[in-house]
Amino acid sequence: MRFTPNSLLAGLVFSGFGLLVAADTDATVSTTAAAIPANVTAAVIDLLDANHILHFLDVVDAFGHVSVRNPVNSSQFFMSYAIAPALTTSQHIVTYAINNATAVALTFNSSVVGAKVPTGFAERYIHSEIYKKFPTVMAVVHSHTQEILPFANQATVPFVSQIHTSPAVGDVGVPIFDTRTLSANVLATSALHDLLVRTEAVGDALAAKFVTGSSVVLMRGHGMAVHSTSIRDVVLNTFYVKQDATVQLQGILLGGGRVAPLSLNSLEIANASVTVHGSFVPRAWPLWVKQVDNNPVYENDLRGKAAPAATGF
Ligand SMILES: *[C@@H]1O[C@H](CO)[C@@H](O)[C@H](O)[C@H]1NC(C)=O
Ligand SMILES: *[C@@H]1O[C@H](CO)[C@@H](O)[C@H](O)[C@H]1NC(C)=O
Ligand SMILES: *[C@@H]1O[C@H](CO)[C@@H](O)[C@H](O)[C@H]1NC(C)=O
Ligand SMILES: *[C@@H]1O[C@H](CO)[C@@H](O)[C@H](O)[C@H]1NC(C)=O
Ligand SMILES: *[C@@H]1O[C@H](CO)[C@@H](O)[C@H](O)[C@H]1NC(C)=O
């Protein structure tokens, strides 16, 4: 096209329209962006870091997931749609209704609505049902961490807290959720028996396995679910559940399988929980954030490389 004065004018008018349309679209997007409460952005910044840190620490691999309850609407939670946790950015975060784990919207992209939200994790019911049953829970992790699987696959040696960094394991013996024990009205005989938590009913049965004194449930042949009152706490706790499993297994081997290693007792667990929450989480978080910031696999597009907030979600 030759730029005659007329075509230039037409071009200007046309692009003027384009600008208007673009400005309109931008206005819609930025109005929505402006409407995202600061606490939601702050919670999702921690959620993205949690996804990356859990991968960095070998708690999750290509699979597994972490979520956070919406701090301004306790009936919702945020979690990525079905992608590897290491690759999560704000554009993958979905707002889910706790009621039935259905997608409400892409949290940071209002132009994608309803059925257009990409497919979520089949096992998002783990999260929705734990939030439903425990109103004070703010964050949930589900992982297939290999170190805990020996304890998930047998019920004769109770998995208990071995180290001062793992009071979340508890001294009661972590319950084991076994899909084989579910009645046919929870998991129909004709349903998939691939050990995944694919429905509200199975998620509810899993959530019902949590006991006072442990924030962990092991899942036979599969992995674990961990909950906590904050996202930074659930990350640290889940990492040390993994470490705890290694220590306990080594302790059992060292004792020739004849002596059960000592667990922290309930007083130690109570006091260590306060120390972990008050001192260890704030010290570990900036280190782990720096480590994922220095690895190009991970991108937190909401935080850039700014230091994490002093207080987390
Ligand atoms: C935002 O979060 C902070 C810290 O959790 C809390 O004190 C504050 O009340 C929250 N604000 C809103 C509007 O929810
Ligand atoms: C809170 O979330 C629920 C479930 O998605 C939704 O029905 C409700 O409208 C939300 N409340 C507000 C104030 O947005
Ligand atoms: C899920 O629950 C919401 C209310 O929170 C409702 O509007 C929606 O229809 C439900 N979706 C399904 C698939 O049950
Ligand atoms: C929203 O998502 C759509 C579809 O993935 C994408 O084309 C668009 O660029 C996204 N918008 C923003 C503001 O990122
Ligand atoms: C240790 O935990 C117990 C039980 O929660 C509590 O009563 C006690 O005050 C704690 N000890 C200290 C020194 O904080």
Side-chain angles (χ1 to χ4, degrees):
M1 181 178 171
R2 272 195 336 119
F3 286 95
T4 60
N6 263 356
S7 74
L8 189 57
L9 185 62
L12 279 174
V13 170
F14 184 76
S15 58
F17 261 112
L19 278 176
L20 267 181
V21 172
D24 238 29
T25 314
D26 284 352
T28 316
V29 169
S30 57
T31 308
T32 313
I36 294 175
N39 274 356
V40 168
T41 304
V44 174
I45 286 174
D46 275 9
L47 178 63
L48 296 179
D49 287 334
N51 272 276
H52 304 156
I53 290 167
L54 287 169
H55 180 259
F56 178 81
L57 296 174
D58 271 332
V59 174
V60 298
D61 49 13
F63 313 103
H65 18 92
V66 51
S67 68
V68 63
R69 193 190 288 268
N70 183 343
V72 303
N73 184 342
S74 59
S75 304
Q76 299 176 337
F77 66 100
F78 302 119
M79 185 164 71
S80 78
Y81 56 77
I83 60 163
L87 304 180
T88 313
T89 72
S90 69
Q91 287 301 300
H92 304 114
I93 300 298
V94 181
T95 307
Y96 286 105
I98 287 173
N99 168 43
N100 52 16
T102 49
V104 175
L106 270 190
T107 315
F108 287 86
N109 188 337
S110 58
S111 66
V112 177
V113 289
K116 286 199 284 176
V117 173
T119 310
F121 293 114
E123 297 194 282
R124 58 192 185 281
Y125 303 97
I126 294 173
H127 302 256
S128 59
E129 294 303 313
I130 290 175
Y131 290 124
K132 205 182 284 180
K133 201 172 283 293
F134 303 103
T136 57
V137 165
M138 289 302 287
V140 175
V141 170
H142 167 61
S143 72
H144 308 154
T145 316
Q146 184 176 313
E147 288 85 341
I148 55 95
L149 288 174
F151 295 95
N153 287 352
Q154 56 76 49
T156 52
V157 180
F159 182 40
V160 287
S161 177
Q162 300 288 300
I163 39 182
H164 72 302
T165 41
S166 65
V169 175
D171 64 345
V172 291
V174 173
I176 299 173
F177 173 72
D178 185 349
T179 46
R180 276 187 209 163
T181 65
L182 298 175
S183 66
N185 57 354
V186 175
L187 181 65
T189 316
S190 60
L192 265 179
H193 281 61
D194 60 359
L195 291 87
L196 300 192
V197 177
R198 294 177 176 277
T199 62
E200 277 178 73
V202 178
D204 176 63
L206 168 72
K209 288 300 281 189
F210 283 93
V211 294
T212 306
S214 177
S215 55
V216 185
V217 164
L218 297 173
M219 301 161 78
R220 195 264 308 163
H222 183 176
M224 64 174 161
V226 183
H227 66 57
S228 190
T229 52
S230 93
I231 198 152
R232 294 185 186 185
D233 283 77
V234 88
V235 168
L236 186 137
N237 288 346
T238 307
F239 174 62
Y240 282 108
V241 169
K242 174 176 102 135
Q243 306 302 79
D244 196 80
T246 300
V247 172
Q248 184 166 346
L249 184 60
Q250 289 172 342
I252 291 168
L253 294 174
L254 201 57
R258 290 181 303 275
V259 283
L262 271 184
S263 172
L264 267 59
N265 66 27
S266 57
L267 175 65
E268 290 165 341
I269 285 169
N271 291 174
S273 300
V274 174
T275 306
V276 162
H277 174 73
S279 317
F280 293 176
V281 171
R283 198 180 310 167
W285 196 259
L287 166 69
W288 289 336
V289 165
K290 189 146 198 164
Q291 287 177 299
V292 293
D293 277 353
N294 281 317
N295 186 324
V297 170
Y298 314 110
E299 183 200 353
N300 188 331
D301 59 318
L302 294 179
R303 184 174 52 74
K305 302 224 173 183
T311 322
F313 276 86

